[in-house]
Amino acid sequence: MSEKNREGKRTARERLAEERAKQKTADKRRRVLIVGTSVVCVLGLAAVIGVIAANSGKDKASGPVVAPSGANGQDSLAVPVGKEGAKSTLVVWEDFRCPACKAFEAAYRPTIHELTGSGKLKVEYHLATIIDGNMGGTGSRNAANAAACAQDAGKFPVYHDVLYENQPEETSDDYAENGKLLELAKKVDGLDTPAFRTCVEKGTHTTWVDKSAAAFRNGGFSGTPTVLLDGKNIYQDRTMTPTKLKQQVEAANKG
């Protein structure tokens, strides 16, 4: 083999070794980034709780606590969806500005709708304002008030889904604008009425929302969403899937 060929092969091997080293470094950097991002998200929950606690007395509505129609549970803070006599109950603490809540909804909504529709599951929605405390603004609270107004009109489940389908970026406070909430109401048949508009614009249920947010802060929860099936936190169960949720609810209904 000529010296020129040997030199060419050696150069090729060196280039290949360099490329492999670069790829290895890139893979390592990517793994570190993923792990780091996960840690920030977990730590962020604690920071959110701290900020909310620190600001719990600021920018609150005054006036009587007006629960939406049909609200039940302790202090009438739960918005029920589904058959009252269902054997399984899903308790959901959520925030309409919360990206993780939207992700949960996207994954589990078809299954939850199926189970509530068949009378096997009752859902109790509790509204929190965790992102307002973390990012600033009033979008969580205003959206929750609008959802409570939709409950008065018997349209909570559909409007609830519309709010998540149109959720703005976490850093954007679009839901602080009543005009945006009223615009989205047009996507729900029969919701865009003078009564609903007045309820949203006057903040009829805002003090009730504040009371619900206080219950969340005092409940010892780590963040939103918090999802409890018959008292067990299933959102923390890494093995939970919509199929597994359905199986557990159906098993409870057979018992």
Side-chain angles (χ1 to χ4, degrees), residues 41-42 44-46 48-49 52 92-95 98 100-101 128 130-131 216 219-227 233 235-236:
C41 289
V42 172
L45 292 176
V48 167
I49 298 298
I52 290 178
V92 181
W93 287 89
E94 61 180 6
D95 180 334
C98 166
C101 296
I130 191 171
I131 305 301
F216 173 81
F221 305 117
S222 60
T224 55
T226 292
V227 186
N233 192 329
Y235 190 71
Q236 293 179 344

Side-chain angles (χ1 to χ4, degrees), residues 5-18:
N5 287 340
R6 282 197 295 270
E7 181 64 28
K9 287 189 175 183
R10 183 167 60 251
T11 302
R13 286 197 298 270
E14 289 173 351
R15 285 200 301 269
L16 181 59
E18 288 176 0

Side-chain angles (χ1 to χ4, degrees), residues 173-252:
D173 199 24
D174 289 4
Y175 282 172
E177 301 296 329
N178 287 334
K180 178 66 174 179
L181 299 169
L182 294 173
E183 176 187 337
L184 292 178
K186 295 178 181 179
K187 296 179 178 288
V188 181
D189 290 341
L191 181 57
D192 184 23
T193 64
F196 175 79
R197 290 194 292 272
T198 298
C199 182
V200 171
E201 290 168 350
K202 288 189 174 181
T204 299
H205 300 297
T206 303
T207 305
W208 174 83
V209 172
D210 289 343
K211 188 171 183 178
S212 180
F216 173 81
R217 291 195 301 271
N218 297 328
F221 305 117
S222 60
T224 55
T226 292
V227 186
L228 311 173
L229 177 62
D230 297 328
K232 181 180 179 180
N233 192 329
I234 64 169
Y235 190 71
Q236 293 179 344
D237 181 355
R238 293 178 179 271
T239 68
M240 183 57 61
T241 64
T243 298
K244 185 174 179 179
L245 171 63
K246 183 177 179 179
Q247 291 171 344
Q248 291 184 357
V249 170
E250 289 181 338

Side-chain angles (χ1 to χ4, degrees), residues 34-179:
I34 291 172
V35 172
T37 302
S38 300
V39 171
V40 169
C41 289
V42 172
L43 293 177
L45 292 176
V48 167
I49 298 298
V51 171
I52 290 178
N55 294 318
S56 61
K58 300 179 182 178
D59 195 26
K60 295 300 178 184
S62 59
V65 177
V66 181
S69 177
N72 60 19
Q74 186 175 353
D75 296 328
S76 297
L77 294 178
V79 178
V81 174
K83 186 178 178 181
E84 177 62 31
K87 291 187 177 181
S88 283
T89 300
L90 192 71
V91 175
V92 181
W93 287 89
E94 61 180 6
D95 180 334
F96 289 113
R97 287 181 70 185
C98 166
C101 296
K102 178 179 180 177
F104 173 79
E105 282 293 320
Y108 284 83
R109 179 186 300 159
T111 300
I112 292 174
H113 281 188
E114 178 186 349
L115 293 171
T116 55
S118 63
K120 296 177 181 179
L121 178 69
K122 178 180 70 173
V123 184
E124 294 180 351
Y125 289 100
H126 294 259
L127 307 182
T129 58
I130 191 171
I131 305 301
D132 284 357
N134 183 36
M135 305 301 298
T138 60
S140 299
R141 186 175 65 177
N142 289 11
N145 172 69
C149 294
Q151 170 67 10
D152 289 338
K155 304 288 185 178
F156 175 86
V158 183
Y159 189 63
H160 168 276
D161 293 351
V162 166
L163 287 174
Y164 279 117
E165 289 165 0
N166 294 273
Q167 184 187 79
E169 293 294 323
E170 185 179 8
T171 55
S172 174
D173 199 24
D174 289 4
Y175 282 172
E177 301 296 329
N178 287 334

